[in-house]
Amino acid sequence: MNALLTSSQRQLVRVISESGPLSRTEMANLLGLSKAAMSGIARDLIDLGVLHETETVYGQGRPSVRLDLHPECAFFVGISLLEDPAPMILCDLNGKIIARQSMPLSRDPQVIAEAITEGLPRLLETHPSAKEKLSGIGVALSGFVDETQSNCVQSTLLNWQDVPLAKIIRERTGVETFIENDAKAVAVSEKLFGSAREIQSFSVVSLGDGIGCAHFIDGKLYRGNHGGAGEIAHCTIEPGGSPCRCGKRGCLDTASSMKAIKEMSRAEGLECVSLSDIENEASTGNAAAIRILHRAGSGLGLAIANLIQINDPGLILITHVEGSFDGLFGTVVNQAIETNVLPRYAGQTPIRIKRVDGDVWARGAASIAAHNFLIGPNSN
Amino acid sequence: MNALLTSSQRQLVRVISESGPLSRTEMANLLGLSKAAMSGIARDLIDLGVLHETETVYGQGRPSVRLDLHPECAFFVGISLLEDPAPMILCDLNGKIIARQSMPLSRDPQVIAEAITEGLPRLLETHPSAKEKLSGIGVALSGFVDETQSNCVQSTLLNWQDVPLAKIIRERTGVETFIENDAKAVAVSEKLFGSAREIQSFSVVSLGDGIGCAHFIDGKLYRGNHGGAGEIAHCTIEPGGSPCRCGKRGCLDTASSMKAIKEMSRAEGLECVSLSDIENEASTGNAAAIRILHRAGSGLGLAIANLIQINDPGLILITHVEGSFDGLFGTVVNQAIETNVLPRYAGQTPIRIKRVDGDVWARGAASIAAHNFLIGPNSN
DNA sequence: ACACTAAGTTCAGAAAATGAACAAATCAAC
DNA sequence: GTTGATTTGTTCATTTTCTGAACTTAGTGT
């Protein structure tokens, strides 16, 4: 079905997905087409069930009718291979999660494909038209993925090397499948479903056990030459600092990831199991807790400041699963950003904090499928 | 003339400018067009004098004829406002410099426009058809330029704030004019004329009195949200280090720019006027010289390593005007890059060093004009 | 009720691309 | 040398896609 869309139709779909509902005339102007051409394209897409008319906007002259993507014109499945059991969700074109379940995690691609195939029917029966309108499966994993979003070039976590996971799943399930790095998937979901829809260039920093990062540049996910763009976790932030499992020293990961923060607290003898615990300790004046949060916060802030200096993004979106950014940690991060960007820049780059739930990765995965459906692999 | 090219014609011109001479069939495949369509487009461009046939390649079957851009189908003027007197060059579509002269530098845009208007005729009379085929003027300056490449948003060096320089020059001379930040202009000239032609994503680090940097991402110059992408000079590289004229501390600029290196040597009582002098001192065992080069080199290396981690470019091109990269400085830079990138990355990102002459900035400026001629502002 | 305004449609015609047949230029081989 | 295989590049009728201009539609303002 996707392949049936013409180049102009896809462009239109893309514009609406970025800007939200638009009138035909607005769309014509945005795409640089005539009203006549627009009329036909819109009619075809409405007939196909991709678009539908929404509100009518009254002004001077004939009122305009806004067109929007029909949320239920396509459904996507997203699977996160970052947790065990692996979450598996079904969502629509708006990123709304319709059903949720899980499957056992495995390191064997065949077993994964099998588990997905088994789980699919149960997921799809939650919505009457999901089965026939299932348009893709997306898989998020920790590791490097090639530019076709089909092969996992390398994953330490899964112990993979050149695994054509997407192809295996595609063949087993018969559904179009794409895989992507976890942080990049989150960035895509923020662009497609989230708070960065209308922003052309932005970076997402996802803070969890590890630290992930991905860039959208000029409206496109930038994957980097080896798929490694955004590997901010292994930027040297404390020259000569503690050794990192990657083999070098002073990586951001050793100072600012949740895992590092917890390890540092344990080493200091603090009985903390979450960021909130440490924040609490710090607020009561515990010197070790304060020191740890300071170190972690200023490290992350410096890394983000470097990112801003290097790429001048239109937005930094920090997503975090645990704790909050209202405490010492968040304050230090913000301070460190401010003191390390060119003073004239300071405050010029919006920093948005977003607490995300356990569905981030699965939703991110689904967004990869949705992105390929909406915009396609070759972004002409 | 530029505006007369259709979208397909421009795409074709772009592909040839990236890949060099190609046969019609190859071009058809690259653009995803039929041979029939290609035939017509090529004929039109040959008639327009933009393309011409070059070598014939023999294989099996009918030999193919390669088409290339006609170097003398368009001429460009490039002016660098980074030096006094300001160099002014005339070059063709290959970036070959045909004539060279200079004009007095001024901070008054009107005076600059006047000086250009005065200088133009002399520059153009050096080539019979330059005058009629002059297709644009490019100006390189130190500062921030808006996305239309028309207004200088801010320049400390020239003490400007929102100066519509391109418009002023355009109106005075009647020639299409674009301005650009110095480092970004160099990146464009490397993409268009230089050693990064076929590379889609790369970064140029230009080492001179200051340190500039610019990124090409997916075949396009990435300017950043405020035109500030690549402001690597003010990345914090030595947290809590020496104060920088920008207002913060420990900027790369304070440790690794030629200006900083020279200042440090002066402070250490070394009688050095150039990088080579300091390298010489270092090679005879002078501890201060060695210390300075180490500091500068490891700073630059760390910054580049961060850039690699963040953006994973396909190439880092370091351009330098002075000295050489064969000595201690270059060695330290390379070492610092290696030790600060993810070990699995090490050596994966090609680092190319290029010594450039005094024409870099003016040639870069001309390339901005050429880029707008070839690819156009709206890169559809 | 009347003009006025702007959205969206229709339709003939222009522009751009395609597919299939064909002409052209070479190599390979007998 | 002539013949066949092979691949480039052209031609042309046809299809697809877009445009411009006229027109219809659905409101607002007076």
Side-chain angles (χ1 to χ4, degrees):
Chain A
M1 135 138 204
N2 188 16
L4 299 174
L5 298 186
T6 67
S7 153
S8 300
Q9 288 176 327
R10 302 182 86 111
Q11 269 188 276
L12 178 55
V13 165
R14 171 183 224 159
V15 164
I16 298 187
S17 132
E18 272 179 12
S19 317
L22 293 169
S23 74
R24 288 165 234 256
T25 309
E26 290 169 318
M27 297 191 284
N29 292 335
L30 276 170
L31 293 185
L33 292 177
S34 65
K35 288 194 296 173
M38 203 53 248
S39 185
I41 295 170
R43 193 192 316 113
D44 294 346
L45 284 174
I46 290 172
D47 289 349
L48 279 169
V50 177
L51 292 186
H52 66 161
E53 302 196 333
T54 59
E55 355 94 277
T56 311
V57 179
Y58 300 92
Q60 263 190 330
R62 174 171 169 176
S64 61
V65 179
R66 295 232 166 105
L67 300 180
D68 198 2
L69 291 172
H70 193 90
E72 304 195 338
C73 83
F75 293 88
F76 307 95
V77 166
I79 297 150
S80 153
L81 299 183
L82 292 137
E83 301 136 89
D84 191 3
M88 197 169 167
I89 61 160
L90 173 70
C91 73
D92 67 16
L93 246 187
N94 282 343
K96 199 180 86 186
I97 298 180
I98 292 163
R100 193 185 269 109
Q101 65 182 52
S102 64
M103 55 174 239
L105 185 63
S106 162
R107 288 188 171 180
D108 181 339
Q110 299 293 346
V111 175
I112 293 175
E114 189 55 42
I116 295 174
T117 315
E118 256 175 52
L120 268 184
R122 256 185 306 148
L123 208 53
L124 295 173
E125 72 191 12
T126 54
H127 190 283
S129 56
K131 193 168 181 178
E132 48 166 337
K133 288 180 175 169
L134 177 63
S135 302
I137 297 175
V139 178
L141 51 84
S142 157
F144 293 81
V145 171
D146 75 352
E147 69 281 358
T148 67
Q149 299 187 311
S150 291
N151 305 307
C152 174
V153 176
Q154 208 266 352
S155 168
T156 319
L157 200 77
L158 295 160
N159 195 24
W160 284 353
Q161 202 96 26
D162 290 314
V163 174
L165 183 62
K167 197 177 150 225
I168 294 171
I169 299 174
R170 203 176 292 141
E171 281 172 359
R172 184 70 189 75
T173 62
V175 183
E176 202 53 76
T177 304
F178 299 95
I179 68 177
E180 191 49 276
N181 166 272
D182 48 1
K184 293 189 175 68
V186 172
V188 172
S189 81
E190 291 298 333
K191 174 70 178 162
L192 230 51
F193 306 143
S195 45
R197 276 191 173 208
E198 74 292 357
I199 302 173
Q200 294 301 310
S201 302
F202 65 94
S203 295
V204 173
V205 176
S206 52
L207 199 55
D209 268 358
I211 296 174
C213 172
H215 317 301
F216 257 79
I217 291 195
D218 289 337
K220 273 184 65 181
L221 175 68
Y222 173 57
R223 323 190 68 268
N225 203 249
H226 312 94
E231 282 294 319
I232 198 181
H234 299 284
C235 276
T236 302
I237 234 65
E238 300 175 330
S242 355
C244 174
R245 68 204 145 92
C246 80
K248 58 194 221 49
R249 286 176 165 275
C251 296
L252 177 62
D253 205 51
T254 65
S256 308
S257 69
M258 284 304 143
K259 202 175 160 191
I261 292 177
K262 288 174 198 166
E263 271 171 17
M264 287 189 283
S265 344
R266 211 173 307 131
E268 293 273 7
L270 294 173
E271 284 183 15
C272 299
V273 287
S274 75
L275 179 59
S276 317
D277 294 345
I278 307 170
E279 285 279 6
N280 282 337
E281 282 295 319
S283 66
T284 64
N286 183 310
I290 294 177
R291 206 182 324 118
I292 291 169
L293 291 178
H294 244 280
R295 182 178 167 200
S298 52
L300 182 58
L302 175 55
I304 293 177
N306 283 343
L307 170 54
I308 292 176
Q309 284 299 129
I310 291 178
N311 279 347
D312 185 22
L315 168 73
I316 298 275
L317 182 62
I318 305 179
T319 68
H320 63 111
V321 188
E322 267 185 64
S324 89
F325 256 66
D326 301 333
L328 180 59
F329 183 62
T331 311
V332 175
V333 170
N334 277 314
Q335 262 173 17
I337 296 176
E338 292 297 300
T339 57
N340 286 302
V341 295
L342 200 58
R344 221 162 32 66
Y345 269 39
Q348 292 287 68
T349 305
I351 314 279
R352 216 176 280 169
I353 314 288
K354 181 174 180 180
R355 169 145 193 179
V356 290
D357 52 33
D359 291 323
V360 238
W361 311 112
R363 177 191 265 116
S367 76
I368 294 298
H371 185 262
N372 275 284
F373 172 79
L374 285 173
I375 286 122
N378 42 355
S379 57
N380 297 322
Chain B
M1 134 142 206
N2 189 16
L4 299 176
L5 298 187
T6 67
S7 152
S8 302
Q9 288 175 329
R10 302 183 87 112
Q11 269 187 276
L12 178 56
V13 165
R14 172 182 224 160
V15 164
I16 297 186
S17 132
E18 273 178 13
S19 317
L22 293 169
S23 74
R24 292 164 172 72
T25 309
E26 289 168 319
M27 296 191 283
N29 292 336
L30 275 169
L31 292 185
L33 292 177
S34 65
K35 287 193 297 173
M38 204 51 249
S39 185
I41 295 170
R43 192 193 316 112
D44 294 347
L45 284 174
I46 291 172
D47 290 350
L48 279 169
V50 177
L51 293 186
H52 66 159
E53 302 196 333
T54 58
E55 353 95 275
T56 311
V57 179
Y58 300 91
Q60 260 189 334
R62 175 172 168 177
S64 60
V65 181
R66 295 235 165 102
L67 300 180
D68 199 2
L69 291 171
H70 193 90
E72 305 195 338
C73 82
F75 293 88
F76 308 95
V77 167
I79 297 149
S80 154
L81 299 184
L82 293 136
E83 302 135 88
D84 191 3
M88 198 170 168
I89 62 161
L90 174 69
C91 72
D92 66 17
L93 248 188
N94 283 342
K96 199 179 88 187
I97 297 179
I98 292 165
R100 192 186 269 109
Q101 65 182 52
S102 64
M103 56 174 238
L105 185 63
S106 163
R107 287 186 171 181
D108 181 339
Q110 300 292 347
V111 175
I112 293 174
E114 189 55 42
I116 294 173
T117 315
E118 255 175 54
L120 267 184
R122 256 185 306 148
L123 208 53
L124 294 173
E125 72 192 12
T126 53
H127 190 281
S129 55
K131 192 168 182 177
E132 46 168 339
K133 289 181 175 171
L134 178 63
S135 303
I137 297 176
V139 179
L141 51 84
S142 157
F144 293 81
V145 171
D146 76 351
E147 68 282 359
T148 67
Q149 300 187 312
S150 291
N151 305 307
C152 175
V153 177
Q154 209 265 354
S155 169
T156 320
L157 200 78
L158 294 159
N159 195 23
W160 283 355
Q161 202 95 25
D162 291 312
V163 173
L165 182 61
K167 197 179 149 223
I168 295 171
I169 298 174
R170 205 177 291 141
E171 280 172 359
R172 184 68 189 81
T173 61
V175 182
E176 201 55 73
T177 304
F178 299 95
I179 69 177
E180 190 49 277
N181 165 273
D182 48 1
K184 293 189 176 65
V186 173
V188 172
S189 81
E190 290 298 333
K191 174 70 179 163
L192 231 52
F193 306 144
S195 46
R197 277 191 172 209
E198 74 292 356
I199 302 175
Q200 294 301 310
S201 302
F202 66 94
S203 295
V204 173
V205 176
S206 52
L207 198 56
D209 266 357
I211 295 175
C213 172
H215 318 300
F216 257 78
I217 291 196
D218 289 336
K220 275 184 62 182
L221 175 67
Y222 173 56
R223 322 188 71 265
N225 203 249
H226 312 94
E231 281 295 318
I232 197 181
H234 298 284
C235 275
T236 303
I237 234 65
E238 299 174 331
S242 354
C244 174
R245 67 203 146 92
C246 80
K248 57 193 221 53
R249 285 176 166 277
C251 295
L252 177 62
D253 205 50
T254 64
S256 309
S257 69
M258 283 305 144
K259 203 175 160 191
I261 292 176
K262 286 173 197 165
E263 270 171 18
M264 289 189 282
S265 340
R266 211 172 308 130
E268 293 273 8
L270 293 171
E271 285 183 14
C272 299
V273 287
S274 74
L275 180 59
S276 317
D277 294 344
I278 306 170
E279 286 278 5
N280 283 336
E281 282 296 319
S283 67
T284 62
N286 183 312
I290 293 176
R291 207 181 324 118
I292 292 168
L293 292 178
H294 244 280
R295 182 179 167 201
S298 51
L300 182 59
L302 174 56
I304 294 177
N306 284 343
L307 170 55
I308 293 176
Q309 284 299 129
I310 291 178
N311 280 347
D312 185 22
L315 168 74
I316 298 275
L317 183 62
I318 304 177
T319 68
H320 63 111
V321 189
E322 266 184 65
S324 88
F325 256 66
D326 301 334
L328 180 60
F329 183 64
T331 312
V332 175
V333 170
N334 277 313
Q335 263 171 16
I337 296 176
E338 293 294 302
T339 57
N340 287 302
V341 294
L342 200 59
R344 222 164 29 68
Y345 269 40
Q348 293 285 69
T349 305
I351 314 279
R352 217 176 279 166
I353 315 288
K354 183 174 178 178
R355 169 144 193 179
V356 289
D357 51 33
D359 291 323
V360 238
W361 312 111
R363 179 192 264 115
S367 76
I368 294 296
H371 185 262
N372 276 285
F373 171 79
L374 285 173
I375 286 122
N378 44 354
S379 57
N380 296 323

